[in-house]
Amino acid sequence: IERAIVFARRTGLPVYLPPGTYQVNRHIIVDDVTIRGAGNWYTIIRGREVALPTPAPDGSLHTGVGFYGRDAADGGSRNVHLSDFAIEGDVRERIDTDQVNGIGGAMSDSTVDGLHLRHTKVGLWFDGPMRNVRVTDNIIVDQIADALNFHTGVTDSLVAGNFVRNTGDDGLAMWSEQTANARNTFAGNTVQSPVLANGIAVYGGGDNTVSGNLVADPVREGSAIHVGSRFGAEPFTGHLGITGNTTVRAGTWELNWKIGLGAIWFYALDRSIDASIEVTGDAYLDSTYNAIMLVSEWAVKDLYSINGVRFRDIRVDGTGTSVVSARTAGSASFRNVDARHVGAVGVNNCGSFHFTAAGSEFGLTDLGGNDGGWLADWQLPNTITCDDRPPVVPPPPPTRW
């Protein structure tokens, strides 16, 4: 395969991988090349995880099957196009320093389309800075950790039409560690049953979009959609748009806090969240606990807040507890947020737990059209309605609105 890549780069031709199973037990480095299989049921690149005799400079203890761009520190790769084959690894233990992902490195101005990735640590882990990668119509299942992570300075990129199931960590993530991600879009993906963590997570960055995705059945300690100031991420800046997504049976029990999360969950741990954030047109169906949750870590609850999140044109059909649970200082506004089959008080407002005579430190603004009685006048702007562990009422199955 590597000799074919060298020949293809020299002649300007694509590499075609015919039907068959190919044994590959280390990274294939790709740059300025097109590699196309016969379809991801027919061309299978399969490999074992191999222990390295000494740790690699990046801390890896193992290598394994994967197509990798060059390191960003070495200039990264460009014009890489991978399509229509499967990558099947044999990763059985999560070691965070290991580079044993299906796709890795930095690949600017590149595309990944129609692959089937399974049994690697992360399906696609991109270490930027890099720009303009399009990841479309792939199947990413049975991963030890994430299905895809835009890590460190990934910009102007698209993840669309992918199917994700059974990840050991976030399904799809943007993690702005050290350098912010910006102007990326996760659109029209299906994410099912992340075993730990979230379906879709955004950790810092600016001007990113999460739109038209379906996320169902997170298993533990995560939500369908998560916006987190954590893991050393750069701050949220500019605009974050969360639009037209559907969540089903989301909002799990958090075993450390011993409370239920929301189908969508905002979390201020490392710093405040005060960028322009709009959540528009989402549907939160059959949420196990809350539909919407905003929380700061207890140790920093007097330092950080979540401010000015705007919710509009939302439908909530069934919650085990509340529509909104606030455990932070800050504010949010609501317009045309309709809810039915709500299991507890519509707003669980604890603020930052000082319970002052002036009310909660979290304020809610009613901009009108919020039907279903969940946001009553007496709750506004900041009535304390704090009951972290109300009885859970299983909602009925969602029905036509």
Side-chain angles (χ1 to χ4, degrees), residues 352-364:
S352 54
F353 292 91
H354 291 294
F355 307 126
T356 70
S360 169
E361 298 87 357
F362 190 87
L364 296 91

Side-chain angles (χ1 to χ4, degrees), residues 30 47 185 201 211 238 264 286 294 334 345 388:
V30 288
T185 298
S211 65
I264 184 170
D286 202 8
L294 308 100
F334 303 87
V345 63
D388 274 346

Side-chain angles (χ1 to χ4, degrees), residues 175-242:
W175 181 16
S176 294
E177 187 181 34
Q178 298 178 350
T179 305
N181 298 320
R183 300 177 302 280
N184 301 310
T185 298
F186 289 172
N189 303 284
T190 297
V191 182
Q192 182 180 1
S193 302
V195 175
L196 180 69
N198 310 283
I200 296 176
V202 182
Y203 304 113
D207 300 319
N208 295 302
T209 301
V210 176
S211 65
N213 302 283
L214 171 62
V215 186
D217 299 305
V219 175
R220 59 169 282 184
E221 296 182 40
S223 296
I225 300 172
H226 178 51
V227 177
S229 174
R230 56 194 305 203
F231 303 130
E234 294 297 300
F236 286 96
T237 59
H239 179 262
L240 173 61
I242 300 172

Side-chain angles (χ1 to χ4, degrees), residues 100-176:
V100 286
N101 309 312
I103 305 292
M107 298 181 188
S108 294
D109 303 318
S110 298
T111 61
V112 180
D113 179 77
L115 302 190
H116 188 167
L117 309 176
R118 55 187 182 265
H119 298 303
T120 57
K121 187 179 79 171
V122 175
L124 305 98
W125 181 283
F126 292 105
D127 285 309
M130 53 175 277
R131 64 174 303 278
N132 188 31
V133 63
R134 299 174 63 89
V135 180
T136 55
D137 299 325
N138 300 285
I139 300 167
I140 312 163
V141 296
D142 303 334
Q143 300 295 316
I144 292 289
D146 305 352
L148 174 141
N149 197 309
F150 281 173
H151 177 234
T152 304
V154 179
T155 61
D156 303 297
S157 295
L158 173 69
V159 176
N162 301 284
F163 177 82
V164 173
R165 184 179 62 210
N166 190 33
T167 58
D169 211 309
D170 296 325
L172 305 175
M174 304 185 202
W175 181 16
S176 294

